[in-house]
Amino acid sequence: MSSFQYMKDLNKHVPFYHIEDSKFKPYGKVINEYDFSELETYMDSLTIPQDQNVYVASVTEMENTIIKDQLQEAFYGEMPIQIGYCNGPNSTLNGLEYHKSSEINIAITDMVLLLGKVQGVENNFFNSSDVIAFFVPEGTAVELYGTTLHFAPCKVNNEGFKTVVILPKGTNDPLSTNIQKRTKEDELLFMKNKWLIAHPEREQLINKGAHPGIKGENIKVYQ
């Protein structure tokens, strides 16, 4: 039995698809036109933390690469980008974020993405019953559109997950202190180019000021 089918059978409480399924089209696309091996070599040197996820927005070793120049030039249309990673033991939804730009994830291990659509956010609330799970095999690079709600991946095995994260430069940096919030959506602005809706069970995010706007189950991915 494939890893995908095994995970799908274990997680019948959430719609579960392979990233190559046409169901993924509204959320993003698989990237096959670039060679990401320079980044994979660096990621192979990292161990996966077992107590909590670790996100690093920018890694010099991964940004001093040919692939960084290629992505910055064409994929992001000469906009400056950052290349970092998110590794850890996560297996629950916890929150959903979006950026007003595409994000690239490269699965260094098998992993599951829990995704939603910005169009489903109403009055800053989103129902977790509208979340869809996608299995991403090791070695697969995906673009997540700016309208795609996402958060940290979920692990597929006990060792945890590793993923490269590529975003416009400055994304997830702290906000300036004097931002004037004018719209309802502004209440979700959590970091630079990051709008975040947290699940009420995720006190760690709530205590940092995230809006507790996810209704329903804090979805867990079993493995």
Side-chain angles (χ1 to χ4, degrees):
M1 180 184 296
S2 68
S3 296
F4 163 63
Q5 191 61 51
Y6 175 78
M7 292 294 293
K8 182 176 181 178
D9 290 347
L10 273 181
N11 292 282
K12 294 181 178 177
H13 57 296
V14 58
F16 201 100
Y17 300 95
H18 196 282
I19 200 70
E20 298 282 0
D21 193 286
S22 61
K23 291 282 187 182
F24 182 58
K25 285 185 177 179
Y27 301 90
K29 63 182 179 183
V30 175
I31 303 170
N32 294 312
E33 298 83 4
Y34 291 88
D35 179 359
F36 295 103
S37 56
E38 290 176 288
L39 309 180
E40 293 165 353
T41 299
Y42 177 82
M43 291 295 289
D44 287 342
S45 69
L46 302 177
T47 58
I48 301 175
Q50 295 301 306
D51 54 343
Q52 63 180 358
N53 296 338
V54 171
Y55 171 66
V56 177
S58 176
V59 176
T60 301
E61 290 89 337
M62 290 203 285
E63 293 177 349
N64 290 332
T65 54
I66 294 171
I67 184 61
K68 188 255 190 178
D69 293 339
Q70 292 174 341
L71 291 170
Q72 185 168 275
E73 177 183 87
F75 193 94
Y76 283 97
E78 295 191 337
M79 290 290 289
I81 63 171
Q82 60 193 27
I83 302 179
Y85 63 86
C86 184
N87 298 341
N90 184 57
S91 59
T92 51
L93 177 64
N94 296 327
L96 287 166
E97 67 179 20
Y98 62 98
H99 316 291
K100 297 196 175 178
S101 51
S102 285
E103 172 175 326
I104 296 174
N105 287 171
I106 305 166
I108 304 302
T109 62
D110 288 350
M111 64 185 193
V112 173
L113 293 175
L114 297 173
L115 304 180
K117 296 172 75 173
V118 167
Q119 294 89 333
V121 178
E122 294 187 6
N123 201 28
N124 287 350
F125 285 88
F126 187 84
N127 199 317
S128 66
S129 63
D130 292 329
V131 167
I132 296 181
F134 289 95
F135 177 88
V136 188
E138 173 186 347
T140 304
V142 297
E143 175 185 5
L144 301 178
Y145 298 145
T147 50
T148 296
L149 301 172
H150 62 282
F151 210 43
C154 294
K155 63 184 178 182
V156 169
N157 55 55
N158 290 333
E159 287 70 37
F161 71 87
K162 287 185 185 180
T163 184
V164 175
V165 179
I166 304 174
L167 282 160
K169 187 81 175 167
T171 298
N172 291 320
D173 284 353
L175 290 166
S176 302
T177 54
N178 295 321
I179 286 182
Q180 182 179 352
K181 297 187 176 181
R182 298 176 174 83
T183 70
K184 191 71 177 176
E185 183 190 31
D186 293 346
E187 297 173 7
L188 304 180
L189 184 57
F190 191 71
M191 306 283 278
K192 288 186 178 177
N193 194 26
K194 178 192 186 90
W195 287 258
L196 174 64
I197 306 172
H199 193 282
E201 290 181 1
R202 191 61 172 173
E203 293 183 2
Q204 185 178 348
L205 291 174
I206 306 301
N207 292 339
K208 291 180 179 177
H211 173 67
I214 296 181
K215 297 179 179 179
E217 177 188 359
N218 188 19
I219 297 170
K220 180 177 176 65
V221 173
Y222 298 98
Q223 43 83 29

